Amino acid sequence: MPSTTTAPETDPSKTVVEEITGWLRLYSDGTVERLTPPGAEPFTVIFPPYTEPRNGVTVHDVTTARGVDARLYLPAEPATAHRPRRRPLLLHFHGGGFCLSSPSWALYHNFYASLTTKLDVAGIVSVFLPLAPEHRLPAAIDAGHAALLWLRDVACGEDENNNGAAHHLDPAVERLRDEADFARVFFIGDSSGGNLVHLVAAHAAAKDDGARADLHPVRLAGGVLLNPGFAREEKSRSELENPPSLFLTEEMVDKLLALGVPLGMNKDSPYTSPSLAAEAVARLHMPPMLLMVAEKDLLHDPQVEYGEAMARVGKTVETVVSRGAVAHVFYLNFFAVESDPLTAERTRELIDTIKTFIDRY
């Protein structure tokens, strides 16, 4: 699986041209050094896959014939006569401002492994996304769409290498093929991964062009945007007034998003601007969306603005705010979930809201 860190740079001829404190340095020759700030070490630990069930889940890393790698979370118990044989499937896009993190981080493992057991789903597929600035948008959008096409291939039994040779299906992928309801695929994403929920859905809708044939039998039933990374060049009130957190500072909003969007663009682009993102899909068939907002998130206001802008262009978006002193992607902070009653309660509510949304569609 692709690495999300590089060895520290020692060449004195290189100079740092951009730095996100504690997280990333971009050098004059284009190389990137990814770091771990103090306090974040437990969250960036790499969780290897495991086939022996732990807490009711197995985890599998697969290389797809579509050129993307993915991590599969599967419930340990296969479908039985007492449970529906075909259940919904989640396709997950990780966060990190388009520049950082990996599905194999403990940050995601601890939440999504647990979520697999709490939702009545066939599994969760998490995409290893190409990272900016080496791979600026739309690279992550293309990877997300490739993962969606791979799900179509799996559903049709057509998973092949580029040279046409059939793959020997991983047993985990076989289970996915046999137990997933491919007509009920849901996107889910954290932070900038929430943006990708919108962007990949828009890309699929544009490619499909109303014919609904490109993905058949896969159907995108809905999207879940968890504290998405929408922002504009003009700072919102929440960016100016809400406190920073380990996972999001004002510097990270400004610099990571600038490195993530295509060269020549800034936050006032359809990739990150809530109003422009909505305007770009006005004529597209978009699935219903669940938008989860944290009250003390730096990006609270642009997230709410996204929901309002989508409603203005006739799209279905349910906005739910996690109230109280909870900040950006609070539910991924497993220490807070375990030790702080408010964070634990808001995380339970968030999971219940996701479950209700999926059950509805």
Side-chain angles (χ1 to χ4, degrees), residues 42-301:
F43 301 104
T44 62
V45 168
I46 300 298
F47 241 96
Y50 47 89
T51 56
E52 289 296 317
R54 300 180 192 174
N55 299 315
V57 177
T58 60
V59 176
H60 315 262
D61 286 348
V62 298
T63 297
T64 78
R66 290 283 178 173
V68 291
D69 294 335
R71 170 158 288 201
L72 277 57
Y73 296 92
L74 299 180
E77 292 184 14
T80 67
H82 303 291
R83 304 174 68 181
R85 183 170 183 273
R86 295 279 180 182
R87 288 175 284 165
L89 177 64
L90 270 59
L91 186 61
H92 170 246
F93 306 125
H94 66 77
F98 309 115
C99 299
L100 303 169
S101 86
S102 163
S104 58
W105 279 10
L107 179 75
Y108 301 111
H109 171 272
N110 284 22
F111 180 75
Y112 283 96
S114 175
L115 189 66
T116 303
T117 66
K118 292 174 180 175
L119 303 179
D120 188 21
V121 295
I124 298 176
V125 178
S126 186
V127 184
F128 284 82
L129 296 167
L131 300 179
E134 304 97 316
H135 306 285
R136 289 173 176 261
L137 292 172
I141 301 170
D142 293 338
H145 189 72
L148 193 59
L149 291 176
W150 175 70
L151 290 181
R152 184 200 64 182
D153 296 342
V154 171
C156 296
E158 297 176 355
D159 191 31
E160 295 183 342
N161 286 311
N162 291 334
N163 62 9
H167 270 184
H168 175 68
L169 275 187
D170 184 294
V173 179
E174 286 193 63
R175 262 197 65 193
L176 207 61
R177 180 194 60 195
D178 294 340
E179 297 184 13
D181 182 351
F182 290 97
R184 295 182 66 204
V185 172
F186 292 82
F187 289 169
I188 187 169
D190 323 277
S191 192
S192 59
N195 299 49
L196 289 172
V197 168
H198 172 93
L199 294 166
V200 178
H203 184 72
K207 296 274 282 188
D208 228 16
D209 197 28
R212 324 285 352 133
D214 184 50
L215 295 174
H216 183 77
V218 169
R219 180 180 72 93
L220 181 55
V224 180
L225 297 81
L226 301 177
N227 305 171
F230 292 112
R232 294 178 282 107
E233 284 297 303
E234 181 182 354
K235 292 192 183 300
S236 63
R237 181 173 178 177
S238 61
E239 288 174 81
L240 297 173
E241 295 185 357
N242 283 350
S245 67
L246 174 64
F247 300 126
L248 193 67
T249 64
E250 192 174 328
E251 179 191 25
M252 293 170 75
V253 172
D254 291 341
K255 294 182 179 180
L256 289 176
L257 296 185
L259 291 174
V261 297
L263 285 170
M265 290 189 176
N266 57 24
K267 291 190 299 248
D268 289 335
S269 75
Y271 299 106
T272 52
S273 164
S275 58
L276 294 179
E279 290 171 15
V281 301
R283 292 177 174 82
L284 297 177
H285 179 80
M286 295 287 282
M289 300 289 191
L290 171 63
L291 170 65
M292 297 299 299
V293 178
E295 186 168 7
K296 293 303 181 182
D297 194 333
L298 286 178
L299 300 180
H300 169 283
D301 291 359

Side-chain angles (χ1 to χ4, degrees), residues 276-355:
L276 294 179
E279 290 171 15
V281 301
R283 292 177 174 82
L284 297 177
H285 179 80
M286 295 287 282
M289 300 289 191
L290 171 63
L291 170 65
M292 297 299 299
V293 178
E295 186 168 7
K296 293 303 181 182
D297 194 333
L298 286 178
L299 300 180
H300 169 283
D301 291 359
Q303 291 164 5
V304 171
E305 183 184 341
Y306 166 79
E308 295 170 346
M310 287 287 280
R312 286 196 297 272
V313 297
K315 309 308 174 189
T316 301
V317 177
E318 177 186 357
T319 301
V320 178
V321 179
S322 301
R323 300 293 181 185
V326 286
H328 193 68
V329 297
F330 64 91
Y331 56 92
L332 295 180
N333 186 338
F334 43 82
F335 291 132
V337 172
E338 291 170 1
S339 63
D340 176 54
L342 176 65
T343 302
E345 178 62 23
R346 294 297 175 265
T347 300
R348 285 192 294 271
E349 292 171 354
L350 178 140
I351 293 170
D352 288 344
T353 303
I354 295 170
K355 185 178 189 306

